[in-house]
Amino acid sequence: MTPGSDPAPESPLPAAPDLATHARNFRLRMSVIARETEGALDMTRDRYGRTVHEGAAAAARAHRDKAAVEAYATHLAPYVDALLDAARRALDELPPARHLTGWRTVLDGLAASAAEIRQALDRPAAPGSAVRTQHAALWPHLAAWADHGSIAANLADQNQHQHHKAPLTDEEQQAWTERAQAAQRRGELELTESWYATDGHPITLAHLIEDDDSRVVALRGDPDAPGWQVIGHFAHEYEAGQVLPAAVPPGVLRADVSEFNRPVPAPEVSLQELIRDVIEAQHAGDASNALLGATQRGYNAGPMIRLQELLETAGQFASALETVQGRQIAARLTALGRQIDFLTREVHDAAEDLGATVAVLPPHRTPALRVRPRPAVDTTPPTPPPRTTPARHR
């Protein structure tokens, strides 16, 4: 049997939780491979992030591709069809929710990637450059399983972790909700953890503090928006986890994100290096160039531009949370981004003015020697001054 073939008919397939475990083991192995590869690729770059050893970088990627194929063949290949079947069955049984269409598309994509990988494993290329080319072509499919196989694993595992909310009567739910709302107004409702259930509704755990006594409660809905309710109260988080609906994989900020297939980072000069350039500068133009480097735009963007990009991206993330606090924080980050943009333009103008001064530091700013000159070998060191013992007072 080749690594990509299905198990023999007489071999019983693992249960759904075990199928999910195989997918998670593959992701863990891919995480190790990705870390090792990043470390190897870092050794091929200069201090600005530019690749200067192309051969070593190509060898690192080839080693990564080969290790990923072997990891897939070991942890996932014999079980991938059964895993996808179990995930699809579970998906068909879930209540309607916004995310189900996207999950179905992910499962279809994983199935297509599995078919591509199986075809290559059943017909391995000849050793040498051909097999390296084949493994490189498989890497996007292997990365897709490492990135998104958790969705298939979670679905296959749904029956094992299909919890139901704590049984509260309407009166109990209303009473506990009012108690939690009162604690929130007092500042004594401490949120601790949040996740989404399969129906697409958020669930949040919180400590409800009353008279120096704390109780774990579960909230359904956005705690900062009207309409949230308490759906259960528990002695501790473990008890809550045994009763409440299980968490589903969270979403992503951008649909094309890939933890295992990141783009090559653009070269950049660190802020520390720019500061050092100013400290070591003697001409106004050199200090000006350091400031201009911080405000440079485009592919080789400077730190101030990257900071603005960070604020903008973090604002998009906060808004994508679709919560009251998330929208408020997004507005704050957007305002800060505008301030950084204004500051960047001011720094750029100041840098140009500094460069236009055509000036140098005055010579009276003399350097200090970091190493004192040693006396000549044939000279006698000066006699140290006599030591005096200070008088002691009682």
Side-chain angles (χ1 to χ4, degrees):
M1 183 179 74
T2 61
S5 303
D6 295 331
E10 63 272 11
S11 302
L13 287 172
D18 295 327
L19 291 171
T21 299
H22 286 293
R24 295 184 181 108
N25 288 342
F26 172 68
R27 178 182 171 83
L28 288 174
R29 180 58 192 146
M30 284 287 284
S31 296
V32 173
I33 293 170
R35 276 198 310 272
E36 292 175 345
T37 304
E38 281 303 314
L41 290 175
D42 284 343
M43 300 296 292
T44 70
R45 301 176 179 132
D46 63 12
R47 60 180 179 171
Y48 303 117
R50 297 173 299 204
T51 300
V52 292
H53 302 291
E54 293 288 352
R61 285 189 287 268
H63 179 76
R64 174 202 67 183
D65 300 341
K66 180 174 182 292
V69 170
E70 293 173 349
Y72 182 91
T74 300
H75 296 289
L76 206 51
Y79 316 103
V80 65
D81 289 337
L83 173 64
L84 288 171
D85 289 342
R88 286 195 172 100
R89 286 195 301 270
L91 186 61
D92 292 337
E93 297 173 0
L94 293 179
R98 290 172 57 187
H99 57 272
L100 298 190
T101 300
W103 280 5
R104 201 175 300 277
T105 302
V106 168
L107 293 181
D108 292 342
L110 292 177
S113 290
E116 291 287 340
I117 300 170
R118 181 186 298 109
Q119 182 179 4
L121 292 178
D122 288 341
R123 298 178 182 177
S129 60
V131 73
R132 288 195 296 271
T133 301
Q134 184 185 62
H135 289 171
L138 291 180
W139 171 254
H141 300 291
L142 297 164
W145 266 97
D147 279 318
H148 311 304
S150 58
I151 293 178
N154 183 273
L155 284 167
D157 211 12
Q158 277 299 314
N159 291 334
Q160 178 76 7
H161 299 286
Q162 191 63 262
H163 304 316
H164 302 281
K165 66 181 181 181
L168 290 179
T169 65
D170 292 343
E171 292 79 8
E172 288 175 325
Q173 182 170 294
Q174 180 65 26
W176 277 95
T177 300
E178 291 176 355
R179 291 171 62 178
Q181 289 173 344
Q184 186 183 48
R185 288 191 293 269
R186 298 192 308 268
E188 294 182 332
L189 186 68
E190 299 177 357
L191 309 183
T192 60
E193 185 180 0
S194 180
W195 68 89
Y196 277 86
T198 55
D199 60 4
H201 288 92
I203 295 176
T204 304
L205 290 185
H207 286 284
L208 173 60
I209 303 172
E210 294 176 317
D211 300 327
D212 296 329
D213 183 35
S214 178
R215 184 80 174 173
V216 175
V217 294
L219 318 178
R220 184 184 182 90
D222 183 355
D224 296 300
W228 60 268
Q229 295 177 319
V230 174
I231 61 173
H233 56 90
F234 315 94
H236 42 70
E237 284 86 351
Y238 178 78
E239 180 186 353
Q242 298 300 305
V243 177
L244 293 170
V248 299
V252 294
L253 178 61
R254 296 174 181 170
D256 59 350
V257 67
S258 173
E259 178 184 345
F260 296 91
N261 205 25
R262 291 181 172 183
V264 177
E268 62 180 2
V269 181
S270 72
L271 192 58
Q272 294 185 62
E273 188 162 351
L274 293 174
I275 295 172
R276 196 68 199 175
D277 287 346
V278 176
I279 294 174
E280 295 174 355
Q282 295 177 312
H283 297 260
D286 296 333
S288 171
N289 288 335
L291 289 174
L292 292 173
T295 60
Q296 179 174 322
R297 300 179 184 272
Y299 178 69
N300 298 327
M304 295 192 71
I305 304 300
R306 295 299 186 198
L307 176 59
Q308 185 180 354
E309 293 175 358
L310 174 62
L311 294 178
E312 291 175 354
T313 307
Q316 295 169 7
F317 181 92
S319 178
L321 293 175
E322 298 183 5
T323 62
V324 171
Q325 280 205 10
R327 287 189 288 271
Q328 293 172 349
I329 295 171
R332 290 170 57 191
L333 290 171
T334 299
L336 289 171
R338 289 195 294 265
Q339 294 179 34
I340 292 295
D341 180 61
F342 172 78
L343 180 61
T344 300
R345 286 186 273 110
E346 287 293 307
V347 171
H348 184 85
D349 291 344
E352 290 185 335
D353 291 343
L354 179 61
T357 60
V358 193
V360 298
L361 293 175
H364 66 76
R365 302 187 66 87
T366 56
L369 293 177
R370 298 178 63 87
V371 180
R372 294 182 178 180
R374 293 183 298 176
V377 177
D378 56 350
T379 60
T380 303
T383 304
R387 297 182 59 185
T388 58
T389 304
R392 293 185 178 181
H393 301 277
R394 295 184 181 273

